[in-house]
Amino acid sequence: MVHTYGPHIFHTDDESIWSYVSKHGQMMPFVNRVKAVSGERVYSLPINLHTINQFFGLSLGPAAAQALLQSKSRSDISDPQSFEEQALKFVGDDLYQAFFKHYTHKQWGRSPADLPASILKRLPIRFNYDDNYFNHRFQGMPKDGYGAIVASILNHPLIELRLGEEFRRDDAQAPHIFYTGAIDRFYDYCFGRLAYRTLDFEVFRTDGDYQGNAVINYCDSSRPFTRITEHKHFAPWESANFSKTICYREYSREAQPNDTPYYPVNLVAGENTLPKYMARVREETKVTFVGRLATYRYLDMDVAIKEALEAARAWIEMQKHNT
Ligand code: UDP
C-alpha cells in the first residue's frame, strides 16, 4: 500500500470519530515513530528525553532535562506569536536550529519568524522516552487504505456519486452545497489566489529495507527534501512478505495554478485576501464549507471528519426546524 499523497496516519482523541472511521474500514494497530536526521546523526522525534540526551550527549533524567531546556529557553519571550518565538521559548536555539528552523523553511518556503506559533504546537515535547509522534488515544492505519473508507462512506442509498462533472456553483438542482474544494477557486479567484504549498514525491524502489522505518525527517539544510517515507513500514502486518520496497522523497514548493494544493499557508501577519473570501463565505446561506481547502485551515483528518459530520447534522436539524 502506497500513500499516494504522502504519509497519512489516522489519529484522534475523539472516540466517536474513531468508531465512525472504524465502521467504514478495519483500522490496524500502528504507532507513528518518526526519526530525524540532523548533522548526519539520527535522533528520536518528537523531541523527547531520548532526543535531548542524544543531542547533548548526556544521560539526564526527566527533571534534569527539563531544567536544561529551561536554562536554554528564551525566557524573555512571554507571548510567542511566531513559530520561531514559540520554538525558542520551548526548546532554545540549539534544538530549534537542529530540528525546526531548516525543516520549516523547506516545508513552507518562508522564515519561521513569519509563520504562526500554532504550526509548532502540533508537535509535542516530552520529558520521557515516549516517542509516539502523536498525543492522541486512538491511532491506526486502514487495512485496505483510505480509498476503501471513502468508498464505504459513499455507499449509501441516499448518495449518488457522479464523477468527472464540472462543478457549478449555481446548480439549481442542489438545495444546498457542501463544498470541500479550495475556497478561492469557489469564487473564481475574484480576490486573487491564496497561497498553498504543494508536494512533489520522488519515487524510488530498492531491494529489502531502505531505511528501517516508515518516516525519517531531514531537518537540516544539507538536503532539499523534508522527509523520506518508506511505505511498507506503514503496513507491518503484510510487509514481511515483501522483498522490495517503495519510497517517496518529499519536496515542498509553492503551488502553481495547476498543482494539487496540500497545505494552506497561514502567516503571523495575515494577508489581505483571505478575509475578503471569508466575508463572502459568511453571506452564503445555501453553501457550507468543510475541510482543509474550503476553510483554509491546517486541519488533520480527524478534525476534518468531525467538522463535516457536525455540518451535516446541523443542516439536518435546520431542515427539521424549517418543516
Ligand atoms: N516540523 C519541523 N521539524 C520536523 C517536523 C516538523 O520543523 O522534524 C515543523 C514544520 O514546520 C512542519 C510542522 O512542524 O510543517 C508540522 O509538522 P507535521 O509533522 O505535523 O507536518 P505534516 O505531517 O502535517 O506535514
Side-chain angles (χ1 to χ4, degrees):
M1 193 158 56
V2 168
H3 292 218
T4 314
Y5 297 97
H8 279 70
I9 300 98
F10 192 84
H11 56 95
T12 186
D13 235 2
D14 188 321
E15 197 162 2
S16 68
I17 299 302
W18 178 249
S19 42
Y20 177 79
V21 170
S22 304
K23 201 172 74 184
H24 290 288
Q26 189 185 352
M27 298 302 283
M28 299 299 278
F30 182 83
V31 176
N32 198 26
R33 300 188 196 280
V34 178
K35 301 292 171 230
V37 174
S38 186
E40 299 310 311
R41 300 181 83 98
V42 181
Y43 299 93
S44 176
L45 266 196
I47 292 182
N48 63 72
L49 192 49
H50 202 177
T51 326
I52 296 165
N53 280 328
Q54 287 173 315
F55 187 79
F56 294 106
L58 298 169
S59 53
L60 305 175
Q66 206 158 356
L68 177 71
L69 285 210
Q70 233 150 42
S71 75
K72 297 191 171 289
S73 126
R74 282 273 303 277
S75 50
D76 56 312
I77 303 170
S78 54
D79 182 20
Q81 298 297 311
S82 70
F83 183 108
E84 182 170 79
E85 287 175 345
Q86 181 75 40
L88 292 173
K89 185 175 171 61
F90 256 27
V91 297
D93 195 50
D94 302 330
L95 293 169
Y96 167 59
Q97 296 279 343
F99 297 109
F100 299 136
K101 184 176 178 177
H102 306 287
Y103 185 104
T104 296
H105 209 284
K106 288 189 278 187
Q107 169 67 20
W108 298 98
R110 287 155 178 85
S111 163
D114 297 328
L115 294 162
S118 58
I119 297 180
L120 181 65
K121 288 182 190 157
R122 293 169 58 82
L123 310 180
I125 289 173
R126 303 201 188 97
F127 295 98
N128 57 33
Y129 286 100
D130 179 2
D131 63 351
N132 183 346
Y133 199 69
F134 303 113
N135 265 338
H136 290 153
R137 280 182 301 157
F138 307 99
Q139 186 172 166
M141 201 48 77
K143 186 160 189 274
D144 302 311
Y146 292 100
I149 290 182
V150 174
S152 167
I153 292 171
L154 294 174
N155 183 16
H156 186 284
L158 291 179
I159 296 177
E160 179 198 339
L161 178 65
R162 290 190 228 152
L163 298 172
E165 294 212 4
E166 190 72 16
F167 169 68
R168 279 179 293 124
R169 199 169 55 205
D170 50 2
D171 190 337
Q173 288 185 326
H176 198 93
I177 293 171
F178 293 87
Y179 181 78
T180 62
I183 178 74
D184 49 352
R185 182 177 161 205
F186 185 84
Y187 291 110
D188 298 323
Y189 309 101
C190 66
F191 301 122
R193 286 182 184 266
L194 293 167
Y196 299 91
R197 298 296 284 176
T198 192
L199 300 174
D200 295 319
F201 301 106
E202 191 185 337
V203 185
F204 62 97
R205 298 166 168 82
T206 65
D207 287 332
D209 189 357
Y210 176 72
Q211 62 181 12
N213 200 39
V215 182
I216 298 192
N217 289 2
Y218 286 84
C219 297
D220 62 26
S221 56
S222 64
R223 294 174 179 85
F225 47 88
T226 52
R227 55 190 172 190
I228 297 180
T229 298
E230 184 169 5
H231 297 270
K232 72 176 180 180
H233 292 301
F234 281 130
W237 61 92
E238 61 179 23
S239 64
N241 304 328
F242 298 140
S243 61
K244 293 183 188 290
T245 193
I246 301 176
C247 301
Y248 275 16
R249 234 176 246 119
E250 185 169 330
Y251 299 81
S252 169
R253 63 177 168 82
E254 206 70 4
Q256 301 304 312
N258 288 326
D259 291 323
T260 305
Y262 280 73
Y263 298 88
V265 181
N266 294 116
L267 300 171
V268 182
E271 42 80 84
N272 302 326
T273 314
L274 183 60
K276 292 182 192 156
Y277 285 118
M278 287 305 168
R280 291 286 295 273
V281 164
R282 283 192 291 276
E283 287 168 11
E284 303 287 353
T285 53
K286 292 183 163 184
V287 189
T288 304
F289 296 84
V290 277
R292 192 185 268 211
L293 295 176
T295 65
Y296 203 73
R297 286 177 301 146
Y298 191 178
L299 300 181
D300 284 333
M301 288 184 280
D302 63 327
V303 183
I305 292 170
K306 186 183 169 69
E307 291 187 359
L309 290 173
E310 282 167 1
R313 284 188 198 112
W315 187 73
I316 291 166
E317 284 307 311
M318 214 169 68
Q319 296 311 297
K320 282 188 198 152
H321 193 74
N322 290 345
T323 52

